[in-house]
Amino acid sequence: MSNKIFFTPGPTQLFYTYQDHFREAIKQDVGSISHRSKEFMRLFQETRENLHQLLELTDDHRIYFTGSANEIWERMVQNLVINRSHHFLNGDFAKKFYDFALQYQKSPSKTESPFGQAYESMDIPEDAELCGITLNETSNGFMFPAEDIYQIKNENPDCLMAIDGVSALPAIPIDFNYIDTAYFSVQKCFGMPAGLGVWIANKRCIEKAKQMETDGMVTGSYHSLTSFEKYGQKNQTPETPNALSIFILGKIAEDMLRRGVSHVRNETVYKSTILYQTAESVSILDPFIKEKKYRSKTVAVCNVQNGSDTVIEVCKKKGWVLGPGYSDQKQNQVRIANFPMHSKEQVEQLCDFLIREFK
Amino acid sequence: MSNKIFFTPGPTQLFYTYQDHFREAIKQDVGSISHRSKEFMRLFQETRENLHQLLELTDDHRIYFTGSANEIWERMVQNLVINRSHHFLNGDFAKKFYDFALQYQKSPSKTESPFGQAYESMDIPEDAELCGITLNETSNGFMFPAEDIYQIKNENPDCLMAIDGVSALPAIPIDFNYIDTAYFSVQKCFGMPAGLGVWIANKRCIEKAKQMETDGMVTGSYHSLTSFEKYGQKNQTPETPNALSIFILGKIAEDMLRRGVSHVRNETVYKSTILYQTAESVSILDPFIKEKKYRSKTVAVCNVQNGSDTVIEVCKKKGWVLGPGYSDQKQNQVRIANFPMHSKEQVEQLCDFLIREFK
């Protein structure tokens, strides 16, 4: 590995144990064993169990693996929405999920707010079958408060609550009693190379997909929810899976369990606090999200006076890679990731440097 | 890595340079860099160029990356078939592709033959938009002769020829002038851990997908062929990709180019010849495919007298992992992979041992 530290919001810095787990995987022939073998089923089960415990899922939740979080947007539209999904949309990633529903010719509705701004209402249409909420909008650093999610679920118990946990889970706590389905990718909080999505779905989701199939609807093929569940019951996958990444994900989940998930989350809060304090005290930086309750704890997004190039370049010389703003904000903003593998010391050093350099 | 040698038909023995390329990828931060960065675009382009050269594609062919070959079956049904695909079907994997078309409520037709047996006719229906042919049926070791593929294309120039190259490419030569689309996964001839599919499609395929979209059909979302092409033109992918595997795939393709693709193919023929000679001379083994012209050069499938357990166990003690038969043939057959990373010496040793042990 180079001497750089990636504070980019994903792909990002590799988890500090990633290479050790890779070596262990090679030693155990994880890249060569059959995905129908007992060895595979054992590692698959272990990863699922570790994630289950780490995310504090209910007995009702199941875990499946896809190629990306993008794929999960698509699979949810195919498997959980007959006519209408509803989307809370104040950022690029929430918009993508909404666009996927449009591309599949559903009739999605949306509660829209200017990018990065809070929503005026938590009401959703009565006929919404699924409600898509982005817990942490990686593109602009807006955090959807958990309490608002619980309120929406309480007011709409029949609507499937679908949480985009990309760049949030497991660092941001969420009570899965209120969540029917959620998903994330491993190149954020788990510090792994990209190429694996994790889909969590409860029995209500599986029942819905089954019903849609009974009613003659197309829910996909090998990665339909019922196909996932059929193979998942045997601790297998429909296709030859990315066993190596599934193995390593389980091991990193175990590392986090060993540290304690509350410890991981407390550190996230601490590091996020000093990041925003720094942004507020440094003349050229200004947190994009104004109200503290909506500020992402894992991706701090800041407007940068006179453009993002200077601060990115100066940090690069120190070996610290910051993320530019997303899409059309590339030149105006920086995004600084604060994931579980970014240590307190690393974040403190970065903050000290920014204060010295730009005070 | 353990001391085992995996002769399983995929996942299989890792390519001998796999770990070196992994280390180089880590050194270059491939797991951390942005998939919108110049570094990524450069490696993406390099992998595409190496594969293009290795597979001797035409200027008309483009390369895209998916999560698996299963995904490509699905994407082809979504993007290239309005009503009817035709499938040559004498094995489990060809059947899966056919089943995917059924699941998407197309009206696929098929030329069926008992599993592992040759087809009586090369005729296909006039209204078939796409013809699915499995070059190497990994489940039973049937090889579809290239000349028959060229004949079908000559007789049906308007039909898109779709070649399942899983466990065949690049070890089995095929003239891409006759092929519109083809696909494979990396855990076979490239000796990589699973989790990456490679989709080759020419301009006619892209035009067809575009037309289907213009006509209001659903072709998927982020992984529709037009989305792949839109990002592909920039040497990017629609979603955050498995950059690590794309990098390593390109390096292994380069290794094969350095050895020379004709050398790789000649060795494949030599090793395959001694494998079948061994099977024919050993009392308990009997090649499943009787006619030599239909015998797979990369996956030798043999019936085993009194069940496959004994030969698998005896070889296991030597550190050689053979594949059992596929699905309901598990107990009756062995499958021995002969991929580019299986060296002449390894195959010769295995054959010598089988002859000594079971003559």
Side-chain angles (χ1 to χ4, degrees):
Chain A
M1 220 175 328
S2 74
N3 288 324
K4 290 179 192 161
I5 299 170
F6 284 80
F7 287 101
T8 43
T12 187
Q13 184 68 14
L14 295 184
F15 208 83
Y16 35 83
T17 54
Y18 171 77
Q19 288 193 72
D20 292 339
H21 297 317
F22 174 84
R23 276 189 287 269
E24 181 59 30
I26 293 293
K27 207 172 133 192
Q28 292 188 28
D29 292 318
V30 172
S32 299
I33 57 172
S34 164
H35 55 297
R36 306 292 177 222
S37 67
K38 278 183 196 139
E39 292 89 337
F40 174 78
M41 290 187 267
R42 203 178 306 125
L43 82 82
F44 186 88
Q45 186 182 358
E46 200 177 295
T47 296
R48 277 176 139 191
E49 285 174 358
N50 290 346
L51 287 175
H52 209 102
Q53 199 183 334
L54 185 69
L55 299 167
E56 298 165 296
L57 304 182
T58 76
D59 289 347
D60 223 26
H61 288 102
R62 302 280 176 276
I63 297 172
Y64 314 104
F65 299 100
T66 68
S68 64
N70 271 245
E71 184 184 347
I72 302 169
W73 284 333
E74 186 175 53
R75 300 302 177 190
M76 287 198 301
V77 170
Q78 286 185 302
N79 284 272
L80 302 177
V81 183
I82 300 169
N83 296 305
R84 169 152 304 168
S85 50
H86 185 77
H87 303 259
F88 281 86
L89 196 165
N90 70 353
D92 285 290
F93 289 102
K95 185 173 180 309
K96 278 197 185 180
F97 185 15
Y98 174 81
D99 288 342
F100 279 30
L102 282 179
Q103 283 169 310
Y104 270 87
Q105 305 183 348
K106 313 282 175 175
S107 306
S109 53
K110 56 185 167 180
T111 300
E112 216 168 353
S113 193
F115 276 20
Q117 288 187 32
Y119 301 97
E120 287 180 5
S121 160
M122 292 296 135
D123 295 343
I124 67 173
E126 273 186 19
D127 62 349
E129 301 155 57
L130 175 146
C131 178
I133 291 177
T134 310
L135 188 53
N136 191 70
E137 178 59 62
T138 316
S139 65
N140 59 36
F142 181 88
M143 187 172 72
F144 205 104
E147 294 66 32
D148 291 347
I149 296 174
Y150 307 153
Q151 181 197 328
I152 296 169
K153 182 65 182 175
N154 280 333
E155 288 171 2
N156 306 272
D158 293 339
C159 181
L160 295 174
M161 289 298 281
I163 301 303
D164 182 336
V166 172
S167 74
L169 297 176
I172 308 297
I174 189 89
D175 183 346
F176 268 89
N177 285 296
Y178 296 90
I179 312 298
D180 296 286
T181 180
Y183 51 97
F184 60 89
S185 45
V186 300
Q187 73 273 19
K188 311 283 184 177
C189 288
F190 287 89
M192 289 174 58
L196 191 70
V198 179
W199 188 9
I200 298 152
N202 68 8
K203 285 183 195 156
R204 282 191 60 210
C205 294
I206 298 163
E207 289 308 316
K208 170 117 190 185
K210 262 189 204 156
Q211 190 57 49
M212 284 174 69
E213 284 169 20
T214 306
D215 294 345
M217 275 167 264
V218 176
T219 58
S221 52
Y222 73 116
H223 270 184
S224 69
L225 193 47
T226 58
S227 172
F228 268 126
E229 176 56 14
K230 182 183 138 194
Y231 284 93
Q233 282 181 2
K234 299 183 282 186
N235 281 310
Q236 291 185 10
T237 57
E239 85 291 19
T240 315
N242 189 339
L244 196 70
S245 289
I246 293 172
F247 174 88
I248 296 176
L249 176 62
K251 294 298 177 192
I252 292 177
E254 197 181 312
D255 293 333
M256 291 199 209
L257 283 168
R258 206 174 295 120
R259 271 172 78 189
V261 68
S262 61
H263 184 74
V264 170
R265 288 169 180 170
N266 287 341
E267 277 203 351
T268 303
V269 172
Y270 166 76
K271 292 180 295 170
S272 142
T273 304
I274 62 168
L275 272 170
Y276 283 112
Q277 279 173 352
T278 301
E280 282 171 339
S281 70
V282 160
S283 60
I284 62 159
L285 296 180
D286 185 27
F288 176 60
I289 306 292
K290 301 302 164 211
E291 263 192 85
K292 283 186 181 170
K293 73 180 274 204
Y294 298 118
R295 278 183 188 165
S296 163
K297 291 187 170 49
T298 49
V299 183
V301 179
C302 298
N303 293 327
V304 191
Q305 227 175 49
N306 302 323
S308 57
D309 285 353
T310 310
V311 62
I312 286 175
E313 276 308 311
V314 168
C315 286
K316 199 176 168 184
K317 282 181 193 149
K318 298 285 291 182
W320 297 322
V321 186
L322 308 190
Y326 188 79
S327 190
D328 54 359
Q329 294 305 315
K330 192 172 191 267
Q331 301 296 327
N332 310 319
Q333 298 183 339
V334 285
R335 291 182 297 160
I336 305 174
N338 169 33
F339 294 143
M341 61 282 180
H342 295 118
S343 72
K344 281 197 291 186
E345 291 71 21
Q346 288 169 349
V347 174
E348 284 165 353
Q349 281 187 345
L350 172 66
C351 288
D352 288 348
F353 174 76
L354 288 172
I355 289 170
R356 271 204 315 279
E357 199 76 7
F358 296 106
K359 189 79 186 190
Chain B
M1 221 173 331
S2 74
N3 288 324
K4 290 179 191 163
I5 299 169
F6 284 81
F7 287 101
T8 43
T12 188
Q13 184 67 13
L14 295 183
F15 207 85
Y16 35 84
T17 54
Y18 172 77
Q19 287 193 73
D20 292 339
H21 297 317
F22 174 84
R23 275 188 288 269
E24 181 60 28
I26 292 293
K27 206 172 134 192
Q28 293 188 27
D29 292 317
V30 172
S32 299
I33 57 171
S34 164
H35 54 298
R36 305 292 175 222
S37 68
K38 279 184 194 140
E39 292 89 337
F40 175 78
M41 290 188 270
R42 202 178 305 127
L43 82 82
F44 187 89
Q45 187 182 356
E46 200 177 295
T47 297
R48 278 175 138 191
E49 285 175 359
N50 289 347
L51 287 175
H52 209 102
Q53 199 182 336
L54 186 69
L55 299 168
E56 299 165 294
L57 303 183
T58 76
D59 289 347
D60 222 26
H61 287 101
R62 301 281 176 276
I63 297 172
Y64 313 104
F65 299 99
T66 69
S68 64
N70 270 245
E71 185 184 346
I72 302 169
W73 284 331
E74 186 175 52
R75 300 301 177 190
M76 286 199 302
V77 170
Q78 286 185 303
N79 284 272
L80 302 177
V81 182
I82 300 169
N83 296 306
R84 169 150 305 169
S85 49
H86 185 77
H87 302 258
F88 281 86
L89 197 165
N90 70 352
D92 285 289
F93 289 102
K95 185 173 180 308
K96 278 197 185 181
F97 186 16
Y98 174 81
D99 287 342
F100 278 30
L102 282 180
Q103 284 169 309
Y104 270 88
Q105 305 182 347
K106 313 283 176 175
S107 305
S109 53
K110 56 184 168 181
T111 301
E112 216 168 353
S113 192
F115 276 21
Q117 287 188 32
Y119 301 97
E120 287 181 4
S121 160
M122 291 297 135
D123 295 342
I124 67 172
E126 274 187 17
D127 61 349
E129 301 154 56
L130 176 147
C131 178
I133 291 176
T134 311
L135 188 53
N136 191 69
E137 178 60 61
T138 317
S139 65
N140 59 37
F142 181 88
M143 188 173 72
F144 205 105
E147 294 66 31
D148 291 346
I149 296 174
Y150 307 153
Q151 181 198 328
I152 296 169
K153 183 65 183 176
N154 280 332
E155 288 171 3
N156 305 273
D158 292 338
C159 181
L160 295 173
M161 290 298 281
I163 300 303
D164 182 337
V166 172
S167 74
L169 298 176
I172 307 297
I174 188 90
D175 183 346
F176 267 90
N177 285 297
Y178 296 88
I179 312 298
D180 296 287
T181 180
Y183 51 97
F184 61 89
S185 46
V186 300
Q187 73 273 17
K188 311 284 184 179
C189 288
F190 287 89
M192 290 174 58
L196 191 70
V198 179
W199 189 10
I200 298 151
N202 68 8
K203 285 183 194 154
R204 281 192 61 211
C205 294
I206 298 163
E207 288 308 316
K208 170 118 190 183
K210 262 189 203 155
Q211 190 57 50
M212 284 174 69
E213 283 169 20
T214 305
D215 294 345
M217 275 168 266
V218 176
T219 58
S221 51
Y222 73 117
H223 271 184
S224 69
L225 194 47
T226 57
S227 172
F228 269 127
E229 176 56 13
K230 182 184 138 193
Y231 285 93
Q233 283 182 1
K234 298 182 284 186
N235 281 309
Q236 290 186 8
T237 57
E239 85 291 19
T240 315
N242 189 339
L244 196 72
S245 290
I246 293 172
F247 174 89
I248 297 175
L249 176 62
K251 294 297 176 192
I252 292 177
E254 197 181 311
D255 293 333
M256 291 200 210
L257 283 168
R258 207 174 295 121
R259 271 171 78 189
V261 67
S262 61
H263 185 74
V264 170
R265 288 170 179 169
N266 288 340
E267 277 204 352
T268 303
V269 173
Y270 166 76
K271 291 180 296 168
S272 143
T273 304
I274 61 167
L275 271 171
Y276 283 112
Q277 278 172 352
T278 301
E280 281 170 340
S281 69
V282 160
S283 60
I284 61 160
L285 295 181
D286 184 28
F288 176 60
I289 306 293
K290 302 301 165 214
E291 264 192 84
K292 282 187 181 170
K293 74 180 274 206
Y294 298 118
R295 279 185 187 165
S296 163
K297 291 185 169 52
T298 49
V299 183
V301 179
C302 298
N303 294 327
V304 191
Q305 227 175 48
N306 302 322
S308 57
D309 284 352
T310 310
V311 62
I312 287 175
E313 276 308 311
V314 168
C315 285
K316 200 176 168 183
K317 281 181 195 149
K318 298 285 289 181
W320 297 321
V321 186
L322 309 189
Y326 188 79
S327 191
D328 55 357
Q329 294 304 317
K330 192 173 188 283
Q331 301 296 326
N332 310 320
Q333 298 183 340
V334 285
R335 292 182 297 160
I336 305 174
N338 169 33
F339 294 144
M341 61 284 180
H342 295 118
S343 72
K344 281 197 292 187
E345 291 70 20
Q346 287 169 349
V347 174
E348 284 165 354
Q349 281 188 345
L350 172 67
C351 288
D352 287 350
F353 174 76
L354 287 172
I355 289 169
R356 272 204 315 279
E357 199 76 7
F358 297 106
K359 189 82 187 189

